[in-house]
Amino acid sequence: AGASVRRNPNDVRRVLGFMPDVFGVYDDMKVWEYLDFFARCYGIAADRRRRMIGDLLELVDLGSKRDMYVQGLSRGMQQRLCLAHTLVHDPQVLFLDEPTANLDPASTQDIERIIQAIHASGTKIIMTTHNLGQARRLGDEILFISNGRLMEHTPIDRFFKEPVSSEAAAFIKGELPWH
């Protein structure tokens, strides 16, 4: 988004939403309070926060859970809430680290649907995943990293048709485990 992490880290924080693979939730807060807390951290005005919280809860299909405590949500619902939390400041770029890790198939589909809707709205998304099917469904480009080295950076369709590196080809065939 044109911001330098080294020169202007605060500019980066304004344009980047980050969802780690392991996240902290505040169990003793209600769902709406959780989002309100993070929106306050970004300095979002009260009237805008109320509208934004309602919109985000609808996006992640938690509108009916607004007054539940976070601890009462299933793992999949908590993951959707965390995704909503990354969006409170309307970032231009999202970095999602294994957003469907440890989720059941139905929750995985929910998260993928939300990611597709976010991407369709114009937000750029960078996502790590060990799931090639998910990469193929959601990705435009792929960066294949093996043992800490960038092996390929290519359009997703090309990667599956004609991988350049032998590591990528072996992985696609199931001959190479994840490291």
Side-chain angles (χ1 to χ4, degrees):
S4 168
V5 174
R6 291 187 181 177
R7 289 190 309 278
N8 301 314
N10 287 332
D11 291 348
V12 172
R13 288 182 189 101
R14 282 190 276 280
V15 299
L16 179 69
F18 174 63
M19 181 178 168
D21 64 339
V22 177
F23 57 93
V25 293
Y26 302 99
D27 290 343
D28 60 344
M29 296 176 102
K30 292 183 178 182
V31 168
W32 75 266
E33 290 172 323
Y34 178 80
L35 293 178
D36 187 67
F37 170 79
F38 286 103
R40 285 174 185 256
C41 290
Y42 282 102
I44 297 171
D47 60 330
R48 184 169 165 229
R49 279 197 318 267
R50 280 188 291 278
R51 285 190 312 273
M52 176 267 308
I53 289 169
D55 291 346
L56 287 176
L57 289 176
E58 289 306 313
L59 173 69
V60 299
D61 198 25
L62 290 175
S64 65
K65 308 294 184 192
R66 151 182 212 95
D67 290 315
M68 279 187 67
Y69 283 92
V70 172
Q71 66 193 13
L73 299 176
S74 69
R75 170 84 171 126
M77 288 179 191
Q78 287 183 1
Q79 197 82 341
R80 293 194 325 250
L81 180 61
C82 187
L83 183 54
H85 144 236
T86 67
L87 298 168
V88 297
H89 63 297
D90 195 24
Q92 296 174 32
V93 178
L94 284 183
F95 186 89
L96 308 176
D97 187 11
E98 297 283 351
T100 60
N102 303 312
L103 293 182
D104 61 74
S107 295
T108 295
Q109 286 179 339
D110 290 342
I111 294 286
E112 287 183 0
R113 176 189 50 78
I114 296 164
I115 290 169
Q116 289 169 329
I118 294 166
H119 180 65
S121 76
T123 302
K124 301 296 180 200
I125 299 174
I126 301 167
M127 184 177 84
T128 63
T129 184
H130 287 87
N131 181 326
L132 281 180
Q134 185 174 69
R136 191 176 228 167
R137 285 188 303 277
L138 299 177
D140 298 323
E141 296 181 30
I142 193 165
L143 288 108
F144 185 82
I145 299 170
S146 179
N147 291 319
R149 289 189 2 244
L150 177 63
M151 306 307 291
E152 290 196 44
H153 177 198
T154 187
I156 195 88
D157 290 336
R158 181 169 180 245
F159 177 79
F160 286 99
K161 289 179 186 167
E162 50 187 81
V164 175
S165 72
S166 58
E167 289 91 345
F171 181 76
I172 292 168
K173 292 177 188 173
E175 299 166 356
L176 180 71
W178 287 106
H179 353 276

